[in-house]
Amino acid sequence: MAGERLVLSGDFKVLMDKTIAVLGYGNQGRAQATVMRDNGLNVIVGNVQDEYRRLAEREGFRTYDIAEAAQRADVIMVLLPDEVQPAVMKEVNAAVRGRNVVIDFASGFNVAFGLVELPDSADVVMVAPRMIGAGILNLHRQGKGYPVLIGVEKDVSGRAWDYAVGIAAAIGAIGRPGGIAVKVTFKEEALLDLLDEHTNWPLLFASFMAFFDVATKQYGVPPEAVLLELYASGEMAEVASSMASMGLFEQLRLHSTTSQYGQLSRAFAFYHYVKRLVEKEARQIWLGDFAREWTLEQLAGKPKFKALWEAARSSELARAEDALFRVLGRRQA
Ligand code: NAI
């Protein structure tokens, strides 16, 4: 039953006597380390010498180089960008060799597609927040939880699920209003994460770009009006928030009936085209094609990535946005 994969409560007793090394003090690292310390846990930070490490020091954490932090720890939380994890995990593996530590990832990507080496002796778990770091801290201050996807890749101790649930509780996700953990595999987490990034957002971006071109060039609508309609007014954020609180379809009741009819009729008409696209992207992700594409792109020095950013920045939409945002005071001249 799907319900068996849901965890609404839990505690972090299993972590009480442990040293927890948070590797990385960025979006997730800073938030998770802070909440765990507030919860009375023994947290240290492992980081290279940079501004993130200085921030961790200023905020009162004991900081170490990554290998030393891993050596000192019982639980190692890998909260570093996905692309730097393969190199960093080599250091971690050398530091923990033979010890039964717990290694926690906040995303399934590298483990699911075999891009990181995992020590034989370690439990390997995943606690993947569905919340940005700043949101984690805000909700923590309000005493509220948030959703996480949790998983176990390797269970050497026999207690790996206890650790995954314990970490989810320790970082303030479960055991508080709004908190929920769903048990998934690393690969399922990676599929959801990537499929969202490869379908929903690019479809929205492509739709916005085409909308902008058609409205401004073929119908002569002022670009400012188009951008405000698309996203610059902030109305879209309100709609997204209503989807989360009221439901995808129920929030339509906040719109006019003309709008409801237009949205529903087109959504059902577009479904079949879009489903084929979603199936193709899902297959590419599941078979590891995207992991290979992105790995090769990084090895080549990211030429396509840089060209895509250049195309985005120099587009007419971006230039019109820049002009509008200066008028609105959202960007400096
Ligand atoms: P981030 O980009 O904020 O990480 C910054 C940290 O990485 C800093 O501590 C910096 O010193 C370190 N770092 C950067 N380059 C390095 C290098 N070459 N060698 C060693 N350390 C380096 O990372 P973020 O966004 O917090 O992501 C961490 C993990 O959390 C990832 O697996 C990500 O997929 C996952 N995640 C992130 C979310 C978010 O809110 N950004 C949401 C859910 C999961």
Side-chain angles (χ1 to χ4, degrees):
M1 261 190 25
E4 289 164 5
R5 295 175 73 167
L6 304 184
V7 184
L8 294 167
S9 61
D11 61 55
F12 45 84
K13 278 194 210 107
V14 69
L15 300 173
M16 284 309 238
D17 57 342
K18 308 283 189 222
T19 299
I20 302 168
V22 170
L23 306 185
Y25 201 71
N27 295 310
Q28 287 295 319
R30 178 171 183 248
Q32 296 193 26
T34 303
V35 177
M36 288 191 293
R37 182 174 61 184
D38 285 358
N39 280 333
L41 295 169
N42 178 24
V43 181
I44 61 174
V45 171
N47 212 96
V48 291
Q49 287 291 354
D50 63 6
E51 69 276 18
Y52 294 97
R53 180 156 172 176
R54 287 188 283 281
L55 178 64
E57 276 160 13
R58 277 203 305 280
E59 295 189 339
F61 283 99
R62 282 172 293 144
T63 66
Y64 303 92
D65 288 342
I66 285 174
E68 188 176 352
Q71 237 157 25
R72 288 171 175 265
D74 308 296
V75 178
I76 297 162
M77 300 182 50
V78 186
L79 301 179
L80 298 160
D82 289 342
E83 57 268 36
V84 313
Q85 290 177 12
V88 168
M89 279 305 294
K90 288 195 169 64
E91 275 187 73
V92 171
N93 289 346
V96 305
R97 207 167 293 286
R99 282 199 300 134
N100 176 228
V101 292
V102 178
I103 301 184
D104 165 67
F105 290 88
S107 96
F109 182 72
N110 283 319
V111 171
F113 297 110
L115 301 173
V116 282
E117 288 166 29
L118 302 173
D120 292 337
S121 57
D123 288 3
V124 177
V125 305
M126 171 181 68
V127 180
R130 287 306 185 252
M131 185 56 62
I132 59 169
I136 290 176
L137 282 175
N138 278 339
L139 290 165
H140 170 60
R141 290 188 193 111
Q142 297 169 42
K144 291 185 183 157
Y146 54 92
V148 284
L149 301 187
I150 60 173
V152 167
E153 178 74 10
K154 265 163 33 71
D155 189 1
V156 174
S157 69
R159 302 192 64 193
W161 277 112
D162 294 342
Y163 287 115
V165 171
I167 291 169
I171 64 172
I174 58 170
R176 297 173 175 193
I180 184 168
V182 186
K183 294 181 177 179
V184 295
T185 65
F186 278 58
K187 199 168 175 187
E188 287 170 344
E189 193 278 340
L191 175 74
L192 293 181
D193 201 27
L194 294 173
L195 195 55
D196 189 40
E197 292 160 6
H198 296 188
T199 60
N200 298 330
W201 294 105
L203 280 167
L204 192 70
F205 277 49
S207 172
F208 280 6
M209 293 189 294
F211 184 122
F212 181 84
D213 288 342
V214 170
T216 56
K217 290 187 190 137
Q218 296 177 24
Y219 294 87
V221 182
E224 295 82 0
V226 179
L227 294 174
L228 288 164
E229 182 70 33
L230 289 175
Y231 60 91
S233 69
E235 188 185 13
M236 199 173 74
E238 296 293 329
V239 172
S241 170
S242 301
M243 283 178 184
S245 60
M246 297 173 68
L248 181 64
F249 295 123
E250 286 305 309
Q251 61 80 28
L252 283 175
R253 298 189 193 287
L254 303 177
H255 306 243
S256 70
T257 44
T258 311
S259 167
Q260 292 173 28
Y261 172 74
Q263 292 191 52
L264 286 171
S265 58
R266 270 59 189 172
F268 282 99
F270 294 164
Y271 172 84
H272 298 285
Y273 302 107
V274 175
K275 185 169 176 233
R276 278 201 286 279
L277 194 142
V278 174
E279 282 171 342
K280 179 168 160 270
E281 292 297 329
R283 206 163 38 245
Q284 285 180 355
I285 294 165
W286 198 254
L287 296 176
D289 294 352
F290 175 74
R292 273 186 289 281
E293 175 188 330
W294 178 221
T295 303
L296 290 173
E297 174 69 10
Q298 290 174 73
L299 287 172
K302 303 185 189 158
K304 188 173 174 188
F305 186 50
K306 288 175 192 160
L308 288 165
W309 256 113
E310 186 44 42
R313 272 198 210 100
S314 59
S315 66
E316 285 187 34
L317 186 154
R319 279 188 273 133
E321 177 194 272
D322 200 47
L324 176 65
F325 280 14
R326 281 166 204 265
V327 171
L328 292 172
R330 294 180 196 168
R331 243 175 236 165
Q332 300 309 314

